[in-house]
Amino acid sequence: QEFIPLLEKSGLITPVGKWVLEKSIQACLALQKWAPGLKVNVNISYIQVSKSAVLRDILNIIKKYNVDQNRLVIELTESGFIESNKNFIDFCNGLKKENILLALDDFGTGYSNFHYLYNLKPDYIKIDRTLMKNALSNEYENMLLKHMVDMAHSVGVKICIEGIEEKEELERIMLLKPDYIQGFYYGRPVSLSVFMESYEI
């Protein structure tokens, strides 16, 4: 919660972001024999979009490693795009032109959510744990989330529900028919080497 804002404030988010992107592509390639259809998601800060040629950096790294563009999913945190402008729309259009997938992270925690769906045209939206937990404890919010899933599917957008930690949460959320599930129920973040060792890759 403190690390990313410090990087953004200091301006180091751009070089660190490029490093993370390159390491993520390397990890994807290292795992492709084990999981041929694997995609890797990489978070991009709104500072990177507004103050650097981040699309060029993405394309250069893809070209360097000769990886299919559709193996990469760029995640943008919705709360950073409240003041969406031409830079962000051009960036998202550039991703579309290059067949790079786009996901809106933490969907439902900011403002003008459906405005983003129209302007940015994401391939995925990710529902954060707070919204998921509220939907499991409140019938009204459960119905809102169900309609959100149905609405997204009606315009060809896939849904990932984040923050699943327990089997009961998984069983109840699956009734809403999301496309993807993410959370500690499946595993906690680990280094690539630990992951590969755990699965004997």
Side-chain angles (χ1 to χ4, degrees), residues 23-197:
K23 289 298 181 182
S24 299
I25 291 295
Q26 290 173 353
C28 185
L29 292 174
L31 295 169
Q32 68 179 355
K33 290 183 179 179
W34 175 72
L38 180 72
K39 291 180 172 61
V40 61
N41 288 36
V42 179
N43 287 87
I44 296 294
S45 163
Y46 72 96
I47 296 292
Q48 290 173 265
V49 176
S50 62
K51 296 187 177 181
S52 74
V54 66
L55 180 58
R56 183 190 63 196
D57 294 337
I58 291 169
L59 294 176
N60 285 343
I61 291 173
I62 286 174
K63 183 178 181 180
K64 177 180 177 180
Y65 290 96
N66 192 29
V67 64
D68 291 339
Q69 284 95 325
N70 63 10
R71 300 286 295 280
L72 176 65
V73 181
I74 296 297
E75 291 192 16
L76 302 176
T77 300
E78 181 199 347
S79 57
F81 290 80
I82 293 173
E83 299 296 334
S84 290
N85 60 32
K86 189 174 183 298
N87 284 342
F88 303 119
I89 295 172
D90 287 347
F91 173 68
C92 294
N93 287 339
L95 293 177
K96 289 286 184 183
K97 183 179 178 181
E98 298 294 338
N99 295 317
I100 299 170
L101 300 171
L102 170 65
L104 290 188
D105 199 12
D106 294 340
F107 192 82
T109 61
Y111 302 93
S112 305
N113 301 305
F114 301 117
H115 177 71
Y116 294 129
L117 289 181
Y118 177 78
N119 274 348
L120 305 182
K121 297 179 176 62
D123 299 283
Y124 307 89
I125 58 176
K126 302 183 73 177
I127 305 298
D128 88 314
R129 178 169 171 78
T130 300
L131 190 55
M132 181 275 294
K133 288 287 287 182
N134 289 344
L136 293 184
S137 61
N138 181 285
E139 184 177 350
Y140 178 77
E141 296 208 37
N142 186 281
M143 187 61 66
L144 285 179
L145 182 53
K146 181 180 186 304
H147 286 314
M148 189 181 295
V149 173
D150 292 342
M151 180 277 301
H153 285 163
S154 74
V155 293
V157 176
K158 294 182 178 180
I159 293 277
C160 175
I161 296 184
E162 301 180 283
I164 303 297
E165 297 182 0
E166 301 171 3
K167 184 177 180 180
E168 182 185 359
E169 292 176 342
L170 175 63
E171 292 173 345
R172 295 177 62 191
I173 284 298
M174 288 301 290
L175 296 175
L176 301 179
K177 299 180 180 180
D179 300 282
Y180 301 99
I181 294 291
Q182 179 178 326
F184 292 163
Y185 177 78
Y186 294 104
R188 292 180 177 271
V190 294
S191 66
L192 177 62
S193 59
V194 170
F195 179 84
M196 296 180 75
E197 183 180 339

